[in-house]
Amino acid sequence: MTTTAPHRHRDTPGTGPHRVGLVAATAAGGRHARTLAAAWPHARLVEADGVADALRTAWTTCDAVVAFLATGAVVRVLAPLLGDKRTDPAVVVVDEAARHAVALLGGHAGGANTLAAEVAAVLDARPVVTTATDAVDLPGLDTLGWPVEGAVAAVSRAILDGEPVRLVADAVWPLPALPPNVHREPPTGEHRTVGPDPAGGYRVLVTDRVVPVDDRTVVLRPPSLVAGVGSSRGVPAAEVDALLHRALADAGLSPASLRCLASVDVKADEEGIRATADALGVPLRTWPAAELATVDVPHPSEVVRAAVGTPSVAEAAALRDGGTLLVPKTASAMATVAVARHAPRGRLAIVGLGPGAADLRTPRAVAELRRAAVVVGLDQYVDQVRDLLRPGTRVLASGLGAEEERARSAVAEATAGHAVALVGSGDAGVYAMASPALEYADERIDVVGVPGVTAALAAAALLGAPIGHDHVYLSLSDLHTPWAVIERRVAAAAEADLVALLYNPRSRARDWQLGAVLATFAAHRPPQTPVGVVRNASRPDEQVHLATLATFDPTVVDMYGLVVVGSSQTRLVGGRMVTPRGYRWRG
């Protein structure tokens, strides 16, 4: 399968392929601008005969503008240039001392809120965002990544004011959490979103169908439609575009819900199809003819098979990943299109929260928690992040020993179409929730893994550099693994002279195993081999203890600790464990 994606306007200004214009009037502003330019390859200082001309030039030639000027001055220059918030550049204003980065224009649609945060991060400033939904920690209807139509401002105001708002969807889509005054009605099919609201209340409709919109209705366009396209060589883009839009209109479908165009591989370089995808802002996906030939379609053609090796291009490409055919193949002189609707896919983010400290939690983990409508996890881990969850987030927390239940619950919620975050400490893939969850997950959901700082990494950083060479993770818990198997693995690690990181080292019910394991290592390593234990790494009651194989007391360890046993090459240097990167110790 081949995918080509068009350029997307305004992703993340600092990191994406966007032109960020920097405008400064003073020496201090110029210094701050040069700091941004050095950090962002796509940012440049815009110079002209005067600062007003520089601002106007940046406005017309860049995707975003950062102005090191007074807010009033920027407003007076740019006011006559304002057009539409969906197309105007984002504008951020930074004061002379770079204390504040103010999102002035294009907060949501233009990306100014994100840009202000990025500018602030580089300049050590404070981002200032006044968009109402951001101020009260609600997701903006125009920030969900989907096209939105209708009375965005009015419905957003109703949500903010706590007025009743109905969310009516053709199907369950993985939307973020919405506040309790937004009532999600159970989906019962596409017909519910077509007609006007007899009660005249505020509504958020989630549908790919063309529906009437009033001054109390917002329509979110989910990416539910795949348009299969076939053509003769050299087909004009105008013909493909016209045929596609006519087919969608005849079926009452919105082009804003197109997920992609799809075709056969030999059409991957067909300029008319590529240009149409680019104009729509969607990727073009192409498949080998042999794969399309396996798709059952209602209108196969032996003529098409003889030409490209599959009895169907448009219908087969539209249905390649499943779905329901809404528009059978329809043709013009040189093109053929078909449209299929694809069911929503739930989203399961498996999130590692790190060892405990908030500053060791990754930004990606925070973003996934704020994106989720459902958060599942051990109660004590969920408590660590409750302050990050958006209003309306549904929390499914449970106690120790319910790992399998949590995994099944998270997968079930995602399979039902929701956006779910399954949280665990450290990295979710290391003795945590990723493995049991993925035993139940299937192809009906999208899975996103969010790595976290493991307990082993946090402990190693506190101990020094004990894992500078080969090492092994071992769990001493025999809850899921027979002790005889653990013993064999410990013996192999000891004989291989690997640094060993021992998880779940000792509990009240398992009070002798750690001693036995250390004795196995002692049989293969010098008695002065360093052993370290870190309890509650990165948390307020963090404790670090260093000893040797000869002096280590296993009774100082409990289930909140992690034990690190050095290799024969590990040394104590300046009170820290160090394992050299080479095989020979260099004194």
Side-chain angles (χ1 to χ4, degrees):
M1 187 266 292
T2 302
T3 300
T4 60
H7 173 70
R8 292 279 189 176
H9 188 57
R10 289 203 251 281
D11 285 323
T12 304
T15 56
H18 295 86
R19 297 159 297 176
V20 180
L22 311 174
V23 178
T26 66
R31 288 195 299 272
H32 302 320
R34 286 189 291 274
T35 299
L36 281 185
W40 294 348
H42 301 289
R44 63 181 180 89
L45 190 63
V46 178
E47 298 178 302
D49 292 339
V51 68
D53 285 342
L55 260 180
R56 285 188 281 265
T57 299
W59 176 271
T60 57
T61 62
C62 297
D63 298 307
V65 180
V66 180
F68 296 87
L69 302 164
T71 302
V74 175
V75 170
R76 282 190 291 273
V77 173
L78 295 183
L81 305 178
L82 294 177
D84 185 280
K85 67 179 184 179
R86 295 171 181 81
T87 56
D88 288 344
V91 178
V92 170
V93 177
V94 181
D95 64 278
E96 180 81 355
R99 289 192 296 261
H100 300 92
V102 183
L104 184 67
L105 294 171
H108 282 166
N113 293 350
T114 300
L115 179 59
E118 293 184 337
V119 170
V122 174
L123 299 179
D124 195 23
R126 181 176 181 178
V128 179
V129 174
T130 58
T131 311
T133 50
D134 293 86
V136 296
D137 201 25
L138 294 177
L141 295 174
D142 53 353
T143 66
L144 301 180
W146 293 350
V148 59
E149 305 166 8
V152 176
V155 176
S156 296
R157 185 76 261 167
I159 295 174
L160 289 166
D161 290 345
E163 296 191 41
V165 178
R166 297 167 55 220
L167 189 149
V168 186
D170 293 340
V172 177
W173 286 89
L175 293 170
L178 294 168
N181 60 305
V182 179
H183 176 64
R184 296 188 187 222
E185 298 188 359
T188 58
E190 64 188 47
H191 65 280
R192 301 182 70 248
T193 60
V194 175
D197 184 5
Y202 291 100
R203 293 187 302 170
V204 177
L205 307 183
V206 184
T207 182
D208 56 25
R209 299 188 62 79
V210 176
V211 295
V213 176
D214 55 37
D215 60 1
R216 291 189 165 210
T217 299
V218 161
V219 182
L220 290 173
R221 297 299 188 186
S224 56
L225 304 178
V226 174
V229 183
S231 75
S232 302
R233 182 60 67 182
V235 63
E239 180 175 342
V240 177
D241 182 80
L243 178 63
L244 177 57
H245 279 81
R246 185 170 69 250
L248 291 168
D250 289 347
L253 300 172
S254 171
S257 277
L258 281 171
R259 178 185 303 178
C260 66
L261 301 191
S263 191
V264 67
D265 272 355
V266 295
K267 296 299 177 182
D269 62 348
E270 188 64 57
E271 185 56 34
I273 299 177
R274 290 174 56 89
T276 302
D278 288 351
L280 290 166
V282 299
L284 169 63
R285 302 179 70 190
T286 60
W287 304 93
E291 290 192 34
L292 295 183
T294 66
V295 179
D296 186 28
V297 297
H299 304 101
S301 168
E302 291 306 313
V303 174
V304 175
R305 186 196 300 272
V308 294
T310 171
S312 172
V313 172
E315 289 182 342
L319 293 169
R320 170 58 182 77
D321 287 330
T324 302
L325 193 66
L326 301 182
V327 180
K329 69 176 181 179
T330 181
S332 62
M334 299 182 67
T336 304
V337 301
V339 181
R341 175 184 288 140
H342 290 250
R345 294 173 61 85
R347 192 173 193 277
L348 175 61
I350 304 177
V351 181
L353 299 178
D359 58 354
L360 290 180
R361 190 183 302 139
T362 67
R364 188 176 297 181
V366 174
E368 288 295 343
L369 289 169
R370 296 178 62 74
R371 175 174 178 163
V374 183
V375 172
V376 183
L378 180 67
D379 46 16
Q380 59 184 286
Y381 298 151
V382 172
D383 288 343
Q384 294 175 17
V385 296
R386 284 186 185 271
D387 61 314
L388 300 175
L389 307 184
R390 291 191 185 276
T393 303
R394 188 153 50 94
V395 175
L396 304 178
S398 52
L400 286 168
E403 288 79 10
E404 295 290 329
E405 176 188 338
R406 284 194 290 275
R408 285 193 295 267
S409 295
V411 172
E413 292 287 344
T415 303
H418 300 296
V420 182
L422 175 61
V423 301
S425 68
D427 181 277
V430 179
Y431 299 124
M433 294 304 300
S435 178
L438 294 186
E439 289 182 28
Y440 298 109
D442 59 27
E443 67 282 351
R444 291 174 292 174
I445 65 175
D446 294 322
V447 176
V448 178
V450 181
V453 177
T454 66
L457 294 176
L462 291 167
L463 291 170
I467 55 175
H469 211 298
D470 296 337
H471 52 278
V472 60
Y473 287 28
L474 295 166
S475 171
L476 302 192
S477 171
D478 57 2
L479 184 62
H480 300 290
T481 306
W483 181 249
V485 174
I486 296 173
E487 283 184 310
R488 289 199 300 271
R489 292 172 179 173
V490 168
E495 185 177 353
D497 199 23
L498 298 171
V499 174
L501 300 110
L502 307 180
Y503 277 69
N504 306 309
R506 187 172 181 271
S507 69
R508 283 176 294 183
R510 288 185 293 103
D511 58 357
W512 61 269
Q513 285 90 335
L514 177 60
V517 166
L518 293 175
T520 300
F521 282 109
H524 295 270
R525 297 176 193 184
Q528 68 271 21
T529 299
V531 178
V533 59
V534 177
R535 189 179 190 274
N536 285 331
S538 86
R539 300 183 185 185
D541 53 349
E542 169 187 285
Q543 297 175 9
V544 179
H545 177 69
L546 274 171
T548 66
L549 277 173
T551 64
F552 188 79
D553 179 7
T555 63
V556 304
V557 180
D558 60 17
M559 284 292 287
Y560 294 97
L562 185 140
V563 177
V564 182
V565 181
S567 72
S568 65
Q569 299 296 306
T570 306
R571 299 289 187 273
L572 290 177
V573 181
R576 290 175 285 271
M577 286 180 73
V578 180
T579 302
R581 291 189 64 190
Y583 285 95
R584 296 173 62 91
W585 180 266
R586 300 181 184 275

